[in-house]
Amino acid sequence: MLFPSHALAPAARGTLSIARYGIGAALTAAGLLAASASLAATGMAARAGNPASNLCSPAHRGFDLVQDKHVALGSLQAHASLQALRDTGANTVAIVPLLRQSRPDTPDVDRSLDMSDGELAHFIRQAHKLGLQAVVDPRIQVSDGRPDDVRMGSDRDWAAWFHHYEQALVGLAAVAADEHAQALVIGTDLDQTLSRPEWTALIARLRRVYPGRLIYAAQGAAGAQRVPFWNKLDAVGVTLQPVLDAAGGPASWRAALAGERKHLLALARQTGRPIFVAELGFSAGPNPAAQADSHAMPPPSIDATVQSRALSTWLAELSNPAIRTVLVWRWNQAEQNGGFIAQDKKIAQAMTRRWRSCSRAPAVW
């Protein structure tokens, strides 16, 4: 089941992580990079190509999956959920361990909310046995804020924050290396950290531990344009939450994503890196102007049929050789009564109709 929406209304801003990563969350993973040479074709929209191949674009497609506190990753229920994810035609799953930070301005990052190394290793192995490619995508859950609020008050605190963050990532990177995960996301939506010089040493340390693809996921194209270290990574990662105008239709939904697409393709050409959409979800409002607050929680009136149609429209909009990975937020391992989970499975069924005829052969990373 999907949970495309992940944001809170401004009044509940401090608990965003619960809505985005919390109970019942599931990991998203989508494929990763293409060789730089393939980026010569980025100026051509895939819509102009073979319609059948467009349905199977991007090469790495799937969902984000976060551990459900009610469903152990080693359980039969979790395995059945992973099989159902695979049966949509997805070929990638992103496993999302949660890191804890007590406040945006404290450097106490730790793995106290995280799954164990054994659970992570087991789930990567299960994904591989099912023919899925696995991405390890750790994310910070800030108790009184969001990841983009993380900001230290002094260089000393920044050094401490990066030390603790590195310790958490290195442990996860070691598991990813041992289990041959296809990619490791080293940070998501950490906007106010991007200018810090500590990123250079952190990336170098992770390279020594993990030999696979390293990715950072910025907030949309605007955030991606501010990242100074793309040349040290293997893909340009982004999270995308276009506004979903429930009263609109495909034309308005395409328009909500058109600007992002244009800027991301330009960035792919500029950096020589493929695009990795670590999260495709949505926020919603009565009209496109509502995107001024991209963290507004969609009203329950947006039903699963509209959600599934919008996601299909956005996947078509993102069909381009430069966009190698798209992961949909998010896949849940158990039925839930709250939030925006498609309990009638219409969203999962829409993805199945789109992807079921696609080759299950692993795409080249």
Side-chain angles (χ1 to χ4, degrees):
M1 280 157 285
L2 293 175
F3 191 142
S5 164
H6 67 270
L8 288 184
R13 187 172 184 267
T15 55
L16 172 69
S17 55
I18 300 299
R20 190 170 187 177
Y21 308 129
I23 299 172
L27 272 178
T28 124
L32 183 37
L33 2 132
S36 312
S38 70
L39 298 178
T42 59
M44 299 177 59
R47 291 192 302 269
N50 184 326
S53 65
N54 292 348
L55 293 176
C56 298
S57 179
H60 308 280
R61 56 192 178 274
F63 303 91
D64 293 307
L65 186 149
V66 182
Q67 182 175 8
D68 184 337
K69 75 173 186 178
H70 301 295
V71 181
L73 287 182
S75 69
L76 291 176
Q77 186 176 357
H79 183 67
S81 176
L82 195 59
Q83 286 181 308
L85 183 155
R86 187 273 313 271
D87 290 345
T88 65
N91 62 12
T92 308
V93 60
I95 305 160
V96 180
L98 298 178
L99 309 179
R100 185 196 69 89
Q101 183 169 336
S102 61
R103 289 188 357 223
D105 59 351
T106 58
D108 57 343
V109 182
D110 62 50
R111 293 183 59 185
S112 60
L113 297 175
D114 184 14
M115 62 193 74
S116 70
D117 287 353
E119 288 176 314
L120 176 59
H122 174 80
F123 209 68
I124 294 172
R125 288 195 294 270
Q126 290 296 313
H128 285 161
K129 286 179 181 178
L130 290 171
L132 293 166
Q133 299 174 90
V135 175
V136 178
D137 183 4
R139 305 202 184 185
I140 291 181
Q141 179 168 299
V142 184
S143 300
D144 188 24
R146 303 190 305 245
D148 58 2
D149 292 325
V150 171
R151 180 181 177 84
M152 300 299 111
S154 67
D155 286 343
R156 181 176 179 178
D157 284 346
W158 273 121
W161 185 87
F162 272 95
H163 171 75
H164 292 302
Y165 189 49
E166 178 181 303
Q167 293 303 109
L169 288 186
V170 164
L172 294 166
V175 177
D178 289 345
E179 299 300 330
H180 308 290
Q182 278 69 33
L184 173 68
V185 180
I186 67 170
T188 299
D189 294 352
L190 296 168
D191 291 14
Q192 299 195 65
T193 72
L194 296 178
S195 62
R196 296 300 306 179
E198 291 89 345
W199 277 108
T200 299
L202 173 57
I203 294 169
R205 174 78 187 281
L206 292 173
R207 287 283 187 204
R208 292 193 294 271
V209 176
Y210 174 72
R213 282 75 176 176
L214 294 182
I215 304 156
Y216 175 85
Q219 285 199 84
Q225 289 168 340
R226 296 178 48 240
V227 176
F229 44 78
W230 290 131
N231 64 325
K232 302 182 186 304
L233 300 175
D234 300 300
V236 173
V238 291
T239 60
L240 296 177
Q241 302 95 35
V243 68
L244 175 56
D245 180 5
S252 67
W253 299 336
R254 281 194 295 271
L257 200 59
E260 294 285 324
R261 180 181 181 276
K262 175 183 176 181
H263 292 302
L264 288 175
L265 294 181
L267 195 54
R269 291 191 294 269
Q270 176 187 331
T271 62
R273 302 291 193 276
I275 302 301
F276 180 103
V277 180
E279 173 185 319
L280 176 63
F282 55 75
S283 55
N287 54 60
Q291 196 164 7
D293 181 4
S294 64
H295 297 287
M297 178 66 94
S301 59
I302 299 181
D303 65 21
T305 299
V306 173
Q307 293 178 24
S308 62
R309 290 178 60 209
L311 283 170
S312 294
T313 299
W314 288 337
L315 286 168
E317 187 70 16
L318 293 172
S319 294
N320 186 283
I323 302 173
R324 293 288 293 170
T325 301
V326 176
L327 301 174
V328 176
W329 188 270
R330 67 189 181 177
W331 185 269
N332 289 324
Q333 300 191 80
E335 292 280 355
Q336 297 178 45
N337 296 320
F340 288 82
I341 298 159
Q343 298 203 27
D344 58 6
K345 301 184 180 179
K346 288 182 180 178
I347 296 176
Q349 289 168 356
M351 298 302 98
T352 302
R353 287 193 297 272
R354 184 178 183 86
W355 293 338
R356 65 185 170 188
S357 63
C358 301
S359 170
R360 292 192 183 277
V364 176
W365 287 68

